[in-house]
Amino acid sequence: MSASAAVSAVHSGPDKDLNIARRLGRRRKRTNLIVKTLCILATAIGLLLLASILFTLLWNGFAGLSLTVFTNTTKPPGSNGGLLNAIVGTLIQTGLGTIIGTPIGLMVGTYLAEYGGHSMLANAVRFVSDVLLSAPSILIGLFVYQIAVQPFGGFSGIAGCLALAVLVIPIVVRTTEDMLRLIAPSLREAAMGLGAPKWKVIVLICYRAAKDGIMTGILLAVARIAGETAPLLFTSLGNLNWSVSLRAPMASLPVTIYQYAGSAFEDWMQLAWVGALLITVGVLALNVAARFALRGRS
């Protein structure tokens, strides 16, 4: 028997191979259709749930939106109260928390990406940062309560700012490190080859190349702390009166929503819906404004 005849006896002919290919093709198309259908169904369910939440928030929030919400402070039930002190308190605590936490997170992320590498210290910092990133916010509140509330004899706005800053730090650290690591090493080498010191390469080149990603991380941090309630319950506590002193208890929208949503008074429950709407719209407006600003500079 010749070699060609032996090969023909072992392997199937072209017709059989074509039939097998067609069956495999049909099976792959069915599998692809099933997976695609499941993905579309999961996306539709997620969008439907999100839309239902937003619709409920808008429906109940707009019903109680009025000028008194922005001009009156929180008052007893039936007194036509507003959310002025809570709005201002949220802006102060969120702003200061971001201002305190962002530079620390930026510098730590820069150290991990540019200097630390995989050293023992850098690995330890990454581990602690990841733990903080996934830690429940109420634990952060208890920690700050032990170091900034109990020793000084009372709740205060600065303690709330510190608690929010601790929540900001790990988010900015992770985002900064990841974005800086995405920059091509050739970009750094080209700058250093021209005689630029490493700190200038990081500040003038790496930061500019990674600014969109770093800004996204900061916005994610702001979006998280803007609606945090648990840390503020143990730090700034809340205040029914007008107060912008960082050494005294300070009102905030999340704490006010927590207190009012569980009350038995209709006007307080309505103000809770309005407060939730204001937080959502504020975070959304901040994200949209930052996106447009970054796109314009790009």
Side-chain angles (χ1 to χ4, degrees):
M1 181 181 294
S2 62
S4 59
V7 173
S8 300
V10 173
H11 298 282
S12 58
D15 293 338
K16 191 172 182 181
D17 288 342
L18 184 59
N19 292 332
I20 293 174
R22 286 175 177 173
R23 287 199 299 270
L24 287 174
R26 287 194 295 268
R27 187 171 67 181
R28 288 168 180 168
K29 287 182 180 179
R30 287 195 300 268
T31 304
N32 180 71
L33 181 61
I34 293 173
V35 174
K36 185 178 180 180
T37 303
L38 291 176
C39 291
I40 293 175
L41 182 62
T43 303
I45 293 174
L47 291 176
L48 181 63
L49 292 175
L50 179 61
S52 64
I53 293 173
L54 290 176
F55 176 78
T56 304
L57 178 61
L58 294 174
W59 180 266
N60 291 281
F62 274 117
L65 203 58
S66 63
L67 185 61
T68 58
V69 173
F70 304 97
T71 57
N72 292 353
T73 60
T74 51
K75 296 180 180 180
S79 302
N80 196 26
L83 297 173
L84 178 60
N85 55 332
I87 294 172
V88 174
T90 296
L91 292 176
I92 292 174
Q93 293 177 84
T94 303
L96 288 179
T98 305
I99 292 173
I100 295 171
T102 298
I104 298 174
L106 188 63
M107 288 186 288
V108 174
T110 303
Y111 165 77
L112 295 178
E114 302 292 339
Y115 296 99
H118 295 283
S119 63
M120 185 177 298
L121 176 60
N123 290 331
V125 173
R126 284 192 193 94
F127 176 76
V128 173
S129 176
D130 292 340
V131 170
L132 287 176
L133 189 62
S134 57
S137 59
I138 192 171
L139 296 182
I140 305 299
L142 287 171
F143 168 73
V144 177
Y145 174 82
Q146 292 293 328
I147 65 171
V149 175
Q150 197 173 35
F152 296 97
F155 301 96
S156 62
I158 189 63
C161 297
L162 292 176
L164 297 182
V166 174
L167 293 173
V168 167
I169 291 173
I171 301 176
V172 179
V173 168
R174 174 55 61 195
T175 307
T176 302
E177 181 186 5
D178 291 343
M179 291 301 105
L180 291 177
R181 286 186 178 276
L182 290 176
I183 300 173
S186 58
L187 191 63
R188 298 179 176 85
E189 294 169 359
M192 291 182 179
L194 295 174
K198 188 169 184 177
W199 71 268
K200 275 194 175 182
V201 174
I202 296 172
V203 174
L204 300 179
I205 295 177
C206 295
Y207 281 169
R208 289 186 179 183
K211 64 181 180 181
D212 290 357
I214 294 174
M215 183 60 66
T216 300
I218 296 173
L219 291 177
L220 289 174
V222 172
R224 181 184 178 185
I225 66 174
E228 283 291 347
T229 305
L232 300 182
L233 288 173
F234 290 93
T235 52
S236 61
L237 184 63
N239 196 334
L240 294 178
N241 302 314
W242 173 263
S243 175
V244 293
S245 174
L246 293 176
R247 293 179 295 178
M250 184 176 291
S252 61
L253 281 175
V255 174
T256 303
I257 293 169
Y258 169 76
Q259 294 172 342
Y260 282 13
S263 69
F265 307 103
E266 290 292 334
D267 55 341
W268 276 18
M269 293 176 64
Q270 186 63 67
L271 284 176
W273 281 109
V274 174
L277 177 64
L278 293 178
I279 290 178
T280 304
V281 172
V283 172
L284 178 62
L286 181 63
N287 279 270
V288 172
R291 295 294 182 183
F292 274 104
L294 291 174
R295 183 181 301 176
R297 284 186 291 181
S298 298

